[in-house]
Amino acid sequence: MSLLYRTGNVLDCPERPVTFGHVVNDCGRWGAGFSGQLSVRYPLAERKFREWAAPQYFGDPPYRPGEVQVLSGVDGKAFNVTVANLCAQRGVGGWDRRVDYGALRACLTKLARIHAAAPSMGLIVMPRIGCGLGGGEWPTVRSIIETTLVACPVIVYSLEVL
């Protein structure tokens, strides 16, 4: 695995093609944290997430912790920018840890399989997933990334120096 670290805005990653990976919650909410930044740059990502999450309000969730939604071409160019929504956070709000490490492991394992089948997805680029609003511990999350995305090129962005 080649895990690289950079400081700055994840969405300013200059390499293409690229897959932006991030954690979403299991209750269909979008707009806080990294997903809010995605909405500004790639509105299609939010629309497609909401379509994926909508049925859960009627009692038939199309997604649950451990599931992944991969959205290719959210920038209007096929396979240039992909977004991977990783359902690995239980609920929203509060100060408790909401990231579900088991669900995160399941999501990243699925993402690794998807990436292996479609290497045109390029680099996997992400913030320190699950550690912001999800309240996770970076050493634990880093270990999960290193053991699941073994064959994938990954860049982790941080707004501050690690």
Side-chain angles (χ1 to χ4, degrees):
M1 157 183 255
S2 59
L3 181 60
L4 300 173
Y5 293 94
R6 291 187 183 160
T7 301
N9 186 332
V10 177
L11 295 175
D12 291 337
C13 177
E15 289 89 357
R16 295 293 185 266
V18 65
T19 296
F20 294 114
H22 74 119
V23 169
V24 297
N25 60 66
D26 65 352
C27 56
R29 301 245 179 107
W30 177 279
F34 183 66
S35 66
Q37 294 177 40
L38 273 172
S39 294
V40 172
R41 187 86 53 101
Y42 305 111
L44 181 61
E46 177 181 0
R47 186 166 51 92
K48 291 295 185 182
F49 170 80
R50 291 190 184 281
E51 289 171 8
W52 187 46
Q56 71 100 15
Y57 294 114
F58 301 105
D60 186 21
Y63 73 103
R64 60 190 173 281
E67 294 297 320
V68 176
Q69 181 190 40
V70 175
L71 305 170
S72 296
V74 295
D75 61 342
K77 301 171 187 164
F79 302 112
N80 197 23
V81 174
T82 299
V83 171
N85 293 319
L86 312 170
C87 187
Q89 180 178 310
R90 297 194 182 267
V92 296
W95 294 104
D96 296 333
R97 179 176 63 84
R98 295 204 172 271
V99 66
D100 178 328
Y101 293 136
L104 181 60
R105 181 176 301 285
C107 288
L108 292 176
T109 299
K110 289 176 184 178
L111 182 59
R113 286 188 198 127
I114 294 166
H115 189 274
S120 61
M121 291 171 64
L123 294 168
I124 297 175
V125 180
M126 58 183 67
R128 288 189 286 170
I129 57 174
C131 295
L133 297 174
E137 298 290 328
W138 177 244
T140 303
V141 172
R142 182 185 63 229
S143 176
I144 293 169
I145 292 169
E146 290 173 346
T147 58
T148 55
L149 297 178
V150 184
C152 304
V154 179
I155 300 175
V156 175
Y157 273 78
S158 179
L159 293 176
E160 69 274 350
V161 177
L162 294 174

